[in-house]
């Protein structure tokens, strides 16, 4: 499976050698198999993955997804390493995760921790200096613990909430609320200046405002965080068609 995925990525790269590409890996865990029972099942991460896959593919991104039992450390690392190997200096890389999280880490299918430091270390090997991580998980703002390394590197993290906050999903919109806000922003609502482009900073400002309003309607407080190398904040993520 790993070799087939890498071969497919290489073929895509060869077919568009001169083209700037965005490689996106979207992972979401709805059904957990955590023997400790700490990571309970969720309702909508898999739906959120499908939603973001549609958004990214419409934008022309080379998009790969993993859901639930396939979101193991081996599979995530295989996909990330393949993308890191293929991405050229002018390309962009986006990694997104939807599921459980706690201080300094996200939790994969069996509840096992995947630390932000390991994610950063893996992506730092890419030849491109445009690497973006989007995390829809509780306490995701705790990535600020590696903020110094983020500022000195070529990565930016858009996190759903502060280090002490918890994200949520709701049947009202049948989605994780942060991911729903992201999808709306990337489809055009974050394009504040009307130039048909959505930058990372525009997206951050949109989801921060949207979740502030939405959170109050749900009786919660969510404060998305933007961390990392500030030079990346004005990078265009999506050009609207």
């Amino acid at each position: 499976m790993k070799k087939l995925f890498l071969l497919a990525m290489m073929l895509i790269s060869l077919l568009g050698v001169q083209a700037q590409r965005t490689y996106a890996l979207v992972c979401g865990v709805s059904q957990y198999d955590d023997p400790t029972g700490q990571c309970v099942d969720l309702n909508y991460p898999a739906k959120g993955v499908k939603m973001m896959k549609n958004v990214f593919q419409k934008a022309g991104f080379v998009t790969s997804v993993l859901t639930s039992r396939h979101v193991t450390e081996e599979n995530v690392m295989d996909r990330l390493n393949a993308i890191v190997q293929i991405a050229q200096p002018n390309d962009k890389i986006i990694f997104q995760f939807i599921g459980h999280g706690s201080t300094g880490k996200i939790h994969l299918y069996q509840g096992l921790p995947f630390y932000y430091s390991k994610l950063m270390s893996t992506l730092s090997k890419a030849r491109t200096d445009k690497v973006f991580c989007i995390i829809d998980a509780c306490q995701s703002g705790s990535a600020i613990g590696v903020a110094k390394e983020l500022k000195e590197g070529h990565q930016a993290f858009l996190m759903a909430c502060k280090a002490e906050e918890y994200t949520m999903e709701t049947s009202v919109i049948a989605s994780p609320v942060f991911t729903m806000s992201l999808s709306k922003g990337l489809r055009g609502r974050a394009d504040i200046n009307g130039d048909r482009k959505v930058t990372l900073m525009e997206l951050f400002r949109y989801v921060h405002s949207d979740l502030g309003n939405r959170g109050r309607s749900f009786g919660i407080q969510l404060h998305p965080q933007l961390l990392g190398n500030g030079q990346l904040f004005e990078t265009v993520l999506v050009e609207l068609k």
Side-chain angles (χ1 to χ4, degrees), residues 35-134:
T36 69
Q38 294 182 352
C39 291
V40 299
D41 288 350
L42 299 169
N43 293 313
Y44 302 116
K47 181 178 179 180
V49 169
K50 183 178 180 180
M51 182 190 308
M52 295 307 298
K53 178 183 177 182
N54 291 338
V55 170
F56 288 156
Q57 287 185 332
K58 184 176 181 180
F61 296 177
V62 180
T63 306
S64 173
V65 303
L66 294 169
T67 56
S68 293
R69 66 185 179 87
H70 299 291
V71 187
T72 63
E73 182 167 341
E74 179 181 7
N75 287 341
V76 171
M77 288 297 296
D78 282 350
R79 298 287 177 100
L80 286 177
N81 284 325
I83 291 172
V84 164
Q85 183 174 340
I86 292 300
Q88 300 301 305
N90 290 329
D91 294 336
K92 302 184 189 97
I93 296 174
I94 295 176
F95 170 78
Q96 182 174 358
F97 176 81
I98 311 168
H100 282 298
S102 57
T103 302
K105 55 190 174 291
I106 54 179
H107 292 274
L108 307 183
Y109 170 60
Q110 292 181 312
L112 298 176
F114 191 78
Y115 290 91
Y116 295 128
S117 56
K118 182 167 186 175
L119 178 60
M120 285 180 53
S121 176
T122 301
L123 292 171
S124 68
K125 299 172 185 176
R127 283 166 286 187
T128 176
D129 59 1
K130 298 180 180 67
V131 178
F132 307 92
C133 297
I134 303 173

Side-chain angles (χ1 to χ4, degrees), residues 209-224:
S209 174
D210 186 53
L211 287 180
N213 297 330
R214 190 177 298 276
R216 282 190 292 272
S217 69
F218 292 135
I220 63 167
Q221 286 190 330
L222 285 179
H223 301 88

Side-chain angles (χ1 to χ4, degrees), residues 1-57:
M1 183 66 72
K2 176 182 177 181
K3 291 182 178 179
L4 287 175
F5 179 73
L6 182 56
L7 181 61
M9 297 289 285
M10 291 179 67
L11 179 59
I12 289 170
S13 179
L14 289 172
L15 288 174
V17 174
Q18 302 301 322
Q20 182 188 73
R21 293 187 175 275
T22 298
Y23 295 92
L25 172 60
V26 188
C27 304
V29 186
S30 293
Q31 284 77 46
Y32 275 85
D33 184 23
D34 180 2
T36 69
Q38 294 182 352
C39 291
V40 299
D41 288 350
L42 299 169
N43 293 313
Y44 302 116
K47 181 178 179 180
V49 169
K50 183 178 180 180
M51 182 190 308
M52 295 307 298
K53 178 183 177 182
N54 291 338
V55 170
F56 288 156
Q57 287 185 332

